[in-house]
Amino acid sequence: MSFPVRWIGSRPGLTALQDGAVMHEALAIDIGGTKVEAAVVDAEGRILPGTRFRGPTGAAATREELVASILQTAERSVAAHGGPVSGVGIGSAGPIGRADGTVSPINLPRLADFPVVAELRRFTSGPVELRLDGTCIALAEHWQGALRGTENSMGIVVSTGIGGGIILGSRLVPGTSGNAGHLGQMQLRRREPDAVGTPWTLEGIASGTATVAWASAQGWTGTTGEQLGADYATGTEIAVRAVRRSAAAVGEALCSITTLLDLERVAIGGGFSRVSPDYLDLVQEAATSAALHAYARELRVVPAGLDADGPLIGAAALVLAD
């Protein structure tokens, strides 16, 4: 089938087998801060039943544990599939090294410079493609999710971290290094040399982790995003302020990006984007009210259509595009 997103630069293809047949199934890997997922996905974007597996990651894990979890999770998916795959598509928290096939996730510092492409070549004789996880999400949403029909759009995730991917002129934009869409590290506040962490970045202000930490510093006694959402629902003042602070920062960032790129639509997914039923409405309100130009006020913020399946579907699309 033909994917609606065109590729900038060289693009992957399908693996031709010796008998002339072409496989239309790919192993998809999604490497995140708390887990790694793998599944086999077909050319229609369907995750094949019984092939989806998850392994733990986390900042406390050793490098050996992280590598083992990635490889074992991939192996389980391939074994469950029981046949060859046309290639391997990898989406990872960033930054990544597109040129040398490495990943160095900020939230997995012990995995720095891990040669994931070289390690995962063992599972296929076809192409192995690596992109930022946000790029994979944008690709998946543009293919068959909430960004279908758009020419200029973004898919983003608001969770323990914040990341995204960019579609411009119906083209997926990975960037020279593969890190285009890393909006979590956009600076929204003036940097303070003695500040702890990164409180001036979008991720440092608005992610689920940062929002819970901010609420705790204001005297809130909960410890999780789920608890924060429950307290928001009952009108607890600190919880309400915390959630609105996060949504306002995301909206302001999207306004800036839209002013630069003239976006039509942004699809937002991730666990923390569901912290309250009106979170996306708050993001939309902030993005619209911050806009200085009429065209920027045309941006529409919508929920991701694929949500938890998006990273895997997008990763598979990296090698299933024809």
Side-chain angles (χ1 to χ4, degrees):
M1 68 175 295
S2 178
F3 281 65
V5 174
R6 297 189 297 275
W7 293 86
I8 292 179
S10 61
R11 67 179 186 176
L14 297 175
T15 300
L17 302 184
Q18 289 183 348
D19 62 1
V22 177
M23 295 300 298
H24 292 270
E25 296 167 343
L27 173 64
I29 310 291
D30 176 43
I31 302 171
T34 59
K35 69 182 187 313
V36 55
E37 278 198 295
V40 176
V41 180
D42 69 15
E44 300 299 321
R46 295 175 298 217
I47 296 175
L48 300 186
T51 68
R52 188 170 187 168
F53 295 93
R54 175 183 294 187
T57 58
T62 66
R63 184 179 182 88
E64 291 73 19
E65 290 170 337
L66 292 169
V67 171
S69 188
I70 292 168
L71 297 180
Q72 289 170 8
T73 303
E75 187 173 6
R76 293 178 71 190
S77 288
V78 172
H81 179 51
V85 292
S86 62
V88 178
I90 309 160
S92 176
I96 66 170
R98 183 181 174 191
D100 61 6
T102 61
V103 296
S104 301
I106 292 175
N107 47 10
L108 297 174
R110 292 174 179 166
L111 199 61
D113 298 317
F114 173 57
V116 65
V117 169
E119 289 288 347
L120 292 178
R121 286 195 188 280
R122 69 186 69 181
F123 296 110
T124 184
S125 59
V128 180
E129 293 288 332
L130 168 66
R131 296 292 188 275
L132 201 64
D133 52 2
T135 301
C136 293
I137 291 167
L139 175 56
E141 290 291 338
H142 192 270
W143 175 23
Q144 57 175 242
L147 300 179
R148 291 184 71 175
T150 63
E151 291 190 6
N152 304 297
S153 55
M154 283 193 73
I156 78 169
V157 170
V158 181
S159 187
T160 55
I162 296 178
I166 303 169
I167 304 289
L168 290 182
S170 296
R171 292 178 181 268
L172 183 68
V173 182
T176 302
S177 68
N179 289 292
H182 231 299
L183 76 162
Q185 279 61 60
M186 288 180 57
Q187 293 181 193
L188 298 189
R189 301 287 185 270
R190 181 178 179 182
R191 288 181 296 141
E192 300 173 4
D194 59 346
V196 177
T198 54
W200 54 84
T201 66
L202 176 60
E203 189 170 280
I205 295 168
S207 69
T209 303
T211 302
V212 167
W214 183 87
S216 297
Q218 309 307 306
W220 181 64
T221 58
T223 59
T224 68
E226 290 80 6
Q227 291 171 333
L228 191 69
D231 283 352
Y232 179 90
T234 61
T236 302
E237 181 184 1
I238 295 176
V240 170
R241 287 168 56 204
V243 170
R244 290 181 176 174
R245 177 177 181 268
S246 169
V250 173
E252 290 170 5
L254 294 182
C255 175
S256 294
I257 297 170
T258 297
T259 301
L260 178 66
L261 301 180
D262 197 6
L263 301 179
E264 307 160 56
R265 198 181 305 165
V266 173
I268 302 181
F272 198 72
S273 71
R274 298 186 294 273
V275 68
S276 68
D278 63 347
Y279 186 85
L280 295 191
D281 294 332
L282 295 171
V283 172
Q284 177 74 73
E285 180 182 344
T288 302
S289 63
L292 298 179
H293 302 292
Y295 74 86
R297 288 192 286 273
E298 295 298 315
L299 174 71
R300 291 297 170 259
V301 175
V302 299
L306 304 174
D307 206 22
D309 292 343
L312 290 172
I313 293 172
L318 295 173
V319 295
L320 289 176
D322 58 8

